[in-house]
């Protein structure tokens, strides 16, 4: 019996010159809503076929949605198909923009985008990371995890921006060594306007193994700049915040595909203490003003029957869709504000330019509807409505201030006084509640911008 056992043991002892197993590991980065193939699919199709399929998955960054200098940092531009939820006016008012966002909202709206902005105070981004563990050229294991980063500014009177990191969707099947798979999270914080000094609290996710992150998946990092450090006249500070994730393989595994640090999302932020925006006077001068994400938020006007701003919405829609029917006449008229790469820029500080915009519009109302345009309608008093608004750099006098700007690229129209007032009230609240800054700096470069929509 002892001899038989000895023979059996010898039969299962590999030869001394047997080649060691060739262990490989590949990582693929996928949009959060992409379906990762199961291990059985990987084994059926083989590594080469899987690599070709997974490398076709891409995350797009639409730089046109970012307002101000941060857009230049997004080298990859593409089409982000998610639509941004606009805050719809209720009566002659404008609601408070949302300041929170759920994981489900983020995932539902991201599609293949690098970021989703729910409002100027709530945004997110997410990626999933898939590892294919190979042995002698064949997939033998699969692991995966996801990271979602949610940025919020919960309190309009607080200058703190919160970034919540949540690792999730951990899975491992087959032969893996996730205890040796190290995950590193790093954040680039680049000041774009001002040389201010920030304060930070909380924790960026530390370097941890796959298994350790699964046990402790949640982290929060807070960033704040005190008022009084920004550029004049609005005490403006601008910064880009970009989280990256990279993975390091166990030493016995040969790296097949390792994409290196991957952007999980991209956030551009403004801190200001503008005198014309809320919270500009506080007991503690360091707490004046507020913060916002610098993206081109959309103001929708309602053209529905009974909407108090309906006449304004109808005028804007006509200027946008049938410019040839508006005054002044211009066969090449193409009003801004309705395309993401042709936005509006708020005008506040230059009061003389604002008055020039109004004069140019009123002159055309007089020219085309007579000096009595305000009183000639039996239905009631009217006012001269203009688009683009007098409170924008693109207003009616733009060509007299900027010689490269097209002439007569605006529309003027007498509309009911009450409807014009309602539209103006909604616009003013939109500016305040979204912290829309004067859109140009002293050199004429974009600082902030916004868009229009007709519902």
């Amino acid at each position: 019996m002892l001899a038989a056992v000895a023979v059996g043991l010898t039969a299962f002892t590999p030869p001394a010159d047997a080649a060691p197993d060739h262990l490989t590991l590949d990582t693929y980065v996928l949009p959060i809503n992409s379906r990762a193939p199961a291990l059985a699919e990987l084994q059926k199709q083989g590594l080469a076929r899987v690599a070709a399929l997974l490398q076709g998955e891409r995350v797009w960054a639409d730089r046109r949605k970012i307002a101000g200098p941060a857009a230049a940092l997004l080298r990859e531009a593409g089409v982000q198909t998610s639509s941004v939820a606009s805050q719809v006016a209720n009566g002659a008012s404008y609601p408070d923009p949302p300041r929170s966002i759920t994981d489900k909202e983020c995932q539902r709206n991201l599609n293949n985008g690098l970021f989703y902005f729910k409002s100027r105070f709530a945004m997110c981004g997410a990626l999933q990371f898939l590892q294919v563990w190979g042995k002698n050229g064949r997939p033998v294991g699969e692991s995966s995890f996801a990271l979602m980063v949610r940025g919020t500014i919960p309190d309009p009177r607080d200058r703190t921006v919160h970034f919540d990191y949540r690792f999730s969707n951990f899975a491992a099947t087959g032969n893996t060594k996730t205890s040796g798979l190290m995950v590193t999270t790093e954040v680039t914080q680049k000041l774009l306007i001002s040389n201010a000094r920030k304060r930070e609290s909380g924790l960026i996710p530390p370097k941890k193994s796959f298994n350790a992150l699964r046990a402790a998946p949640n982290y929060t990092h807070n960033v704040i700049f005190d008022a009084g450090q920004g550029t004049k006249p609005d005490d403006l500070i601008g910064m880009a915040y970009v989280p990256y994730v990279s993975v390091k393989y166990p030493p016995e595994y040969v790296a097949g595909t390792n994409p290196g640090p991957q952007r999980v999302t991209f956030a551009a932020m403004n801190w200001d203490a503008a005198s014309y925006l809320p919270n500009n006077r506080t007991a503690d001068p360091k707490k004046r003003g507020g913060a916002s994400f610098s993206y081109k938020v959309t103001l929708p006007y309602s053209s529905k029957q009974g909407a108090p701003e309906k006449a304004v919405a109808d005028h804007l829609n006509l200027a946008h869709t049938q410019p040839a029917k508006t005054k002044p006449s211009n066969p090449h008229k193409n009003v801004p504000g309705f395309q993401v790469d042709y936005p509006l820029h708020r005008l506040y500080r230059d009061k003389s330019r604002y008055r020039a915009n109004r004069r140019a519009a009123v002159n055309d109302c007089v020219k085309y509807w007579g000096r009595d345009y305000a009183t000639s309608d039996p239905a009631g008093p009217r006012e001269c409505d203009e688009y683009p608004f007098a409170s924008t750099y693109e207003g009616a006098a733009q060509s007299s201030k900027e010689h490269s700007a097209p002439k007569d690229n605006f529309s003027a129209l007498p509309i009911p006084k009450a409807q014009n007032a309602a539209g103006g009230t909604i616009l003013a609240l939109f500016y305040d509640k979204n912290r829309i800054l004067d859109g140009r700096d002293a050199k004429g470069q974009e600082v902030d911008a916004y868009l229009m929509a007709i519902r």
Side-chain angles (χ1 to χ4, degrees):
M1 290 297 293
L2 290 175
V5 171
V7 170
L9 289 174
T10 302
F12 286 94
T13 301
D17 60 350
D21 289 324
H22 181 62
L23 303 178
T24 59
L25 185 51
D26 298 89
T27 291
Y28 301 95
V29 181
L30 306 175
I32 192 65
N33 290 315
S34 294
R35 188 189 72 84
L39 179 57
E41 294 177 74
L42 299 176
Q43 293 173 332
K44 182 178 180 180
Q45 297 185 48
L47 285 176
R49 173 64 176 163
V50 169
L53 289 174
L54 294 179
Q55 287 175 346
E57 295 279 2
R58 295 195 62 186
V59 174
W60 293 102
D62 190 349
R63 63 189 296 172
R64 301 171 304 167
K65 292 187 176 181
I66 303 296
L73 300 179
L74 285 170
R75 296 177 181 176
E76 299 169 15
V79 178
Q80 187 181 5
T81 55
S82 61
S83 59
V84 177
S86 302
Q87 298 306 109
V88 180
N90 180 17
S93 185
Y94 182 84
D96 292 331
R99 291 179 175 268
S100 63
I101 185 170
T102 66
D103 290 358
K104 288 184 178 180
E105 286 177 311
C106 181
Q107 185 162 344
R108 184 172 64 247
N109 289 284
L110 263 175
N111 294 321
N112 283 26
L114 181 64
F115 42 70
Y116 165 66
F117 289 96
K118 182 180 178 182
S119 75
R120 297 257 289 192
F121 311 102
M123 59 80 60
C124 70
L127 286 179
Q128 57 177 320
F129 297 81
L130 171 70
Q131 294 83 43
V132 179
W133 304 74
K135 181 178 179 180
N136 300 327
R138 181 173 179 271
V140 295
E142 178 186 77
S143 60
S144 60
F145 66 92
L147 173 60
M148 179 173 292
V149 181
R150 292 180 290 119
T152 57
I153 306 168
D155 188 342
R157 296 160 298 182
D158 188 351
R159 295 171 64 93
T160 306
V161 183
H162 303 262
F163 290 98
D164 294 310
Y165 292 75
R166 191 172 81 84
F167 290 87
S168 64
N169 300 344
F170 288 91
T173 57
N175 296 324
T176 67
K177 191 178 180 181
T178 54
S179 62
L181 182 68
M182 302 304 296
V183 181
T184 300
T185 306
E186 299 175 297
V187 177
T188 297
Q189 300 179 66
K190 184 178 179 61
L191 276 169
L192 303 167
I193 302 173
S194 173
N195 293 314
R197 297 184 63 179
K198 66 179 179 293
R199 293 189 287 116
E200 300 174 74
S201 62
L203 184 66
I204 296 170
K207 181 179 180 179
K208 286 189 174 185
S209 70
F210 178 102
N211 292 0
L213 276 177
R214 179 163 51 184
N218 300 319
Y219 303 86
T220 297
H221 180 226
N222 306 314
V223 181
I224 183 171
F225 286 90
D226 292 331
Q229 304 182 83
T231 59
K232 295 180 179 180
D234 292 336
D235 193 13
L236 179 61
I237 301 164
M239 190 180 80
Y241 183 100
V242 191
Y244 292 85
V245 165
S246 58
V247 294
K248 184 178 180 181
Y249 300 160
E252 63 268 34
Y253 283 81
V254 175
T257 300
N258 191 336
Q262 293 293 301
R263 291 180 303 187
V264 180
T265 191
F266 179 96
M269 295 161 286
N270 288 329
W271 285 262
D272 76 88
S275 61
Y276 50 89
L277 291 177
N279 201 43
N280 59 72
R281 295 182 180 180
T282 60
D284 184 347
K286 293 182 179 180
K287 296 182 179 180
R288 290 183 297 111
S292 64
F293 292 109
S294 182
Y295 100 100
K296 298 170 184 174
V297 66
T298 299
L299 168 61
Y301 274 152
S302 176
S303 61
K304 293 181 179 179
Q305 197 65 38
E309 77 278 20
K310 175 175 168 50
V312 178
D314 290 343
H315 177 204
L316 270 60
N317 192 52
L318 185 68
H320 171 49
T321 61
Q322 301 181 67
K325 293 186 177 181
T326 65
K327 303 298 183 183
S329 300
N330 176 4
H332 305 293
K333 187 180 295 186
N334 179 24
V335 296
F338 292 90
Q339 298 168 303
V340 71
D341 52 358
Y342 193 27
L344 295 173
H345 300 88
R346 183 182 184 182
L347 171 68
Y348 179 83
R349 289 187 298 270
D350 192 341
K351 303 301 183 184
S352 65
R353 181 162 176 166
Y354 175 89
R355 291 190 293 269
N357 284 340
R358 281 297 297 156
R359 282 196 305 270
V362 170
N363 286 343
D364 272 12
C365 279
V366 170
K367 178 179 178 180
Y368 293 101
W369 287 274
R371 292 188 177 277
D372 63 344
Y373 73 86
T375 58
S376 60
D377 188 345
R382 298 190 295 181
E383 289 182 342
C384 186
D385 184 39
E386 79 279 347
Y387 185 80
F389 309 117
S391 59
T392 65
Y393 280 84
E394 292 76 23
Q398 184 184 23
S399 62
S400 68
K401 304 293 183 179
E402 303 171 28
H403 298 308
S404 61
K407 293 182 178 181
D408 295 333
N409 197 43
F410 68 95
S411 175
L413 178 70
I415 65 170
K417 182 177 180 179
Q419 297 254 325
N420 193 43
T425 298
I426 293 168
L427 179 61
L429 290 170
F430 167 80
Y431 282 155
D432 273 359
K433 292 187 176 185
N434 286 287
R435 298 202 73 84
I436 304 294
L437 294 161
D438 190 290
R440 301 285 184 188
D441 63 17
K443 296 180 180 179
Q445 299 300 309
E446 181 178 278
V447 171
D448 208 349
Y450 68 96
L451 299 166
M452 296 298 304
I454 306 301
R455 299 289 173 84

